Amino acid sequence: MTAPPLSGLAKRLVADQILDATTAAAATQAARRENQTFAQHAVEAKLVKARELAGIAAQAFGTPLFELGSYNFELIPREVVDEKLIAKHFALPLYQRGNRLFVAVADPTNLAGLDEINFNTGLSTDAVLVEADKLAKAIESYLSHNSDMGAGLEGMDDEALDALEVGSDEPAQDDEEPGGDEAPVVRFVNKVLLDAIRSGASDIHFEPYEKTYRVRFRTDGVLHEVAKPPIQLAPRLSARLKVMSKMDISERRVPQDGRIKMKLSKTKAIDFRVNSLPTLWGEKIVLRILDPSSAQLGIDALGYEEEQKQLYMDALAQPQGMILVTGPTGSGKTVSLYTGLNILNTPERNISTAEDPVEINLEGVNQVNVSAKVGLDFAEALRSFLRQDPDIVMVGEIRDLETAEIAIKAAQTGHLVLSTLHTNSAPETLTRLMNMGVPTFNIATSVSVIIAQRLARRLCNECKKPVTLPHEVLSAEGFAAVTLPKNTWTLFQPVGCEHCSKGYKGRVGVYEVVRITDGISRIIMEGGNSIQIADQAREEGFNNLRTSALRKVVMGITSLEEANRVTKD
């Protein structure tokens, strides 16, 4: 078989002795087999570095080299070039001026591709040279986020896209053989779910408005837009999600709850908790991603400081008492509780939980979904647990006096009880129980440890930049409370790079762990307020949330701006 002729770029690499003729010919053949451009294949196969290849091409062919990393992708003229042409020719339109279309390419000698784009658009095409690796990421992002429902799906693995266990009466009609009109919707929804898992998102929002529709991910605690499908598809998107989560698709007037399970492999599955809400312009649907592996992280991965971790572990080791975890929605309370349950989960212990709803299934733990509709609330579930010979009980949330009294009674009669409250700090948790009407003696003698927590974004280790703050700023922000040696302090600020999102990657817990000591018990018994309890806790060496956050700032884990976001009033 005759070898294909070398492209201009391949010839140049041979002439410059970067590649030998045999390697260049083999690379050209491989690129054709894989439907890639020579530049794309050469970089992916690591025959030449992307930056080096771009520099050689710019010098050899007189094409200006453009820094794609500084480009605002919101300026891309959408729907001008067909997505198939973008993928086929490894070319991305950057901007349009009148009748001229400027197209980013990694190989300026790919004239056939530019000519085909010219023919299909009717616009004069000008090549803009960029690095192949950056172009690949930009094209992938464009195809993934484009409003066209089919965009970016051609290269997806069909098994992965169709691997959802959908709760439908007739799954073959909805999943195995979707009709021609519904197939793009099915694939788009499945792809959004997969993208959310891959990006580490915690929630997915499908939101209809009067003239637009958007999909947002909450990643590292912050929402950002990922797609804008046509508003005409809003009813079909909501119907698809409701079918998958076993909701009543004919009911659009009241909120509904459901669940979706996605199998990623034979051994790993992800659950989604789904809620629909009727809004002015249609049903908004939010999915909470429930990854069972988050409960298997281990306590060392959560961000507890050594003293805080020891306080939690000591409380878990007690045969009785109450451990309370507090914080706003999305602060990681569930993960902290499940981590503790995993530590306690042995064949010798009987563990029961009452949750609203059960978020993550734990093997060996008896989990109960409370349901107000059938009269099974937290208090009723807790009463039943106490007749089931329990060792450890978890109550999803203490919301009322009845639940609080039963939980405290369980803690006083030889059981370990774990639960949550929605308060801002550990001292406020104690006063909240008092305000509910729980006798102060019962609080002082049953509560062992209170953990207040927040989740702060971690600084990206690839791009974080040291920063020096004036002494006045450090003093005003409260750094005087940080007892770490000053010669170990290193403060950083976010920068942003291709490895992270605006300078942050991942999250870390910020904790206030307070053990109920004799001094704190005395204040509780005297009916003291949260300020008095906080002062006593500080005197006994328990760091509050603010101090814990500032400690993570001087350790270079997060930034001062992020510490202020999650802990400053």
Side-chain angles (χ1 to χ4, degrees), residues 136-204:
K137 291 180 180 178
I139 289 175
E140 180 183 2
S141 176
Y142 173 84
L143 295 178
S144 297
H145 299 164
N146 192 26
S147 61
D148 184 351
M149 299 303 293
L153 298 180
E154 291 83 358
M156 290 292 295
D157 186 317
D158 287 349
E159 289 188 11
L161 285 174
D162 297 329
L164 294 170
E165 287 189 359
V166 180
S168 171
D169 293 332
E170 296 178 322
Q173 294 180 12
D174 286 299
D175 295 292
E176 295 174 16
E177 298 291 340
D181 291 340
E182 293 305 315
V185 174
V186 170
R187 293 207 162 204
F188 175 75
V189 170
N190 292 0
K191 183 179 183 299
V192 167
L193 268 56
L194 282 170
D195 286 347
I197 294 170
R198 289 168 180 162
S199 66
S202 61
D203 301 87
I204 311 169

Side-chain angles (χ1 to χ4, degrees), residues 302-305 308 311-312 323-328 331-334 336-337 419-430 447 449-456 508-516 542-549 552 566-567:
L302 300 185
Y304 285 95
E305 295 185 31
Q308 295 175 331
L311 287 170
Y312 190 18
I323 300 172
L324 295 175
V325 182
T326 182
S331 60
K333 299 188 299 295
T334 300
S336 283
L337 284 175
S419 190
T420 71
L421 279 90
H422 281 92
T423 57
N424 292 324
S425 66
E428 289 178 31
T429 302
L430 295 168
V447 179
V449 160
I450 302 175
I451 301 171
Q453 65 180 82
R454 303 288 188 275
L455 286 176
V508 64
V510 176
Y511 301 95
E512 175 184 22
V513 183
V514 176
R515 180 170 56 84
I516 307 305
F542 300 119
N543 289 327
N544 60 22
L545 279 167
R546 179 64 179 168
T547 302
S548 294
K552 284 184 166 54
V566 299
T567 65

Side-chain angles (χ1 to χ4, degrees), residues 194-439:
L194 282 170
D195 286 347
I197 294 170
R198 289 168 180 162
S199 66
S202 61
D203 301 87
I204 311 169
H205 293 235
F206 291 84
E207 302 170 308
Y209 296 95
E210 181 179 11
K211 297 180 180 178
T212 59
Y213 192 99
R214 69 179 177 182
V215 180
R216 292 191 292 172
F217 291 170
R218 186 179 294 279
T219 307
D220 295 338
V222 179
L223 280 168
H224 62 277
E225 187 177 291
V226 296
K228 294 189 73 172
I231 184 60
Q232 295 83 358
L233 293 172
R236 290 161 62 187
L237 286 169
S238 62
R240 173 61 185 166
L241 289 163
K242 289 169 73 174
V243 166
M244 294 167 69
S245 51
K246 300 184 181 180
M247 295 182 189
D248 181 358
I249 62 171
S250 65
E251 179 56 77
R252 302 184 183 92
R253 299 165 299 173
V254 296
Q256 295 186 64
D257 293 299
R259 288 179 83 96
I260 299 172
K261 180 183 286 290
M262 170 181 276
K263 279 192 174 179
L264 301 180
S265 67
K266 291 182 179 180
T267 58
K268 183 174 176 62
I270 301 290
D271 285 333
F272 297 83
R273 191 181 76 206
V274 188
N275 177 265
S276 71
L277 178 70
T279 69
L280 188 61
W281 305 110
E283 289 180 286
K284 172 174 178 174
I285 298 182
V286 176
L287 291 80
R288 166 65 60 89
I289 301 175
L290 309 172
D291 185 357
S293 62
S294 64
Q296 308 288 342
L297 290 174
I299 194 168
D300 292 324
L302 300 185
Y304 285 95
E305 295 185 31
E306 196 58 40
E307 301 85 353
Q308 295 175 331
K309 182 181 79 171
Q310 195 56 52
L311 287 170
Y312 190 18
M313 295 296 289
D314 288 347
L316 290 171
Q318 297 298 315
Q320 66 183 62
M322 180 180 288
I323 300 172
L324 295 175
V325 182
T326 182
T329 301
S331 60
K333 299 188 299 295
T334 300
V335 173
S336 283
L337 284 175
Y338 280 16
T339 299
L341 288 178
N342 267 320
I343 294 171
L344 297 168
N345 189 9
T346 64
E348 295 80 22
R349 295 187 175 105
N350 177 22
I351 305 176
S352 297
T353 73
E355 304 171 61
D356 183 19
V358 173
E359 294 195 351
I360 298 174
N361 297 327
L362 294 177
E363 186 72 25
V365 176
N366 307 292
Q367 296 173 276
V368 174
N369 263 324
V370 300
S371 173
K373 291 181 181 178
V374 298
L376 180 59
D377 57 14
F378 284 119
E380 186 59 36
L382 201 46
R383 287 193 197 93
S384 297
F385 290 167
L386 296 179
R387 295 191 290 269
Q388 292 257 322
D389 184 31
D391 296 300
I392 296 151
V393 171
M394 188 188 85
V395 185
E397 183 183 349
I398 294 177
R399 298 175 178 171
D400 51 49
L401 176 59
E402 184 181 16
T403 306
E405 287 181 333
I406 300 170
I408 284 176
K409 184 182 295 183
Q412 291 174 331
T413 55
H415 307 93
L416 183 61
V417 179
L418 293 82
S419 190
T420 71
L421 279 90
H422 281 92
T423 57
N424 292 324
S425 66
E428 289 178 31
T429 302
L430 295 168
T431 55
R432 172 69 60 83
L433 291 173
M434 295 182 205
N435 293 337
M436 281 184 181
V438 179

Side-chain angles (χ1 to χ4, degrees), residues 58 63-68 71 90-95 100-108 114 125-131 135:
T63 307
L65 180 59
F66 182 74
E67 177 50 56
L68 199 58
Y71 179 69
F90 197 51
L92 182 67
L94 292 182
Y95 49 94
R100 297 176 68 190
L101 182 66
F102 294 84
V103 182
V105 297
D107 184 353
L114 293 172
T125 54
D126 291 331
V128 178
L129 184 62
V130 298
E131 296 167 48
L135 179 57

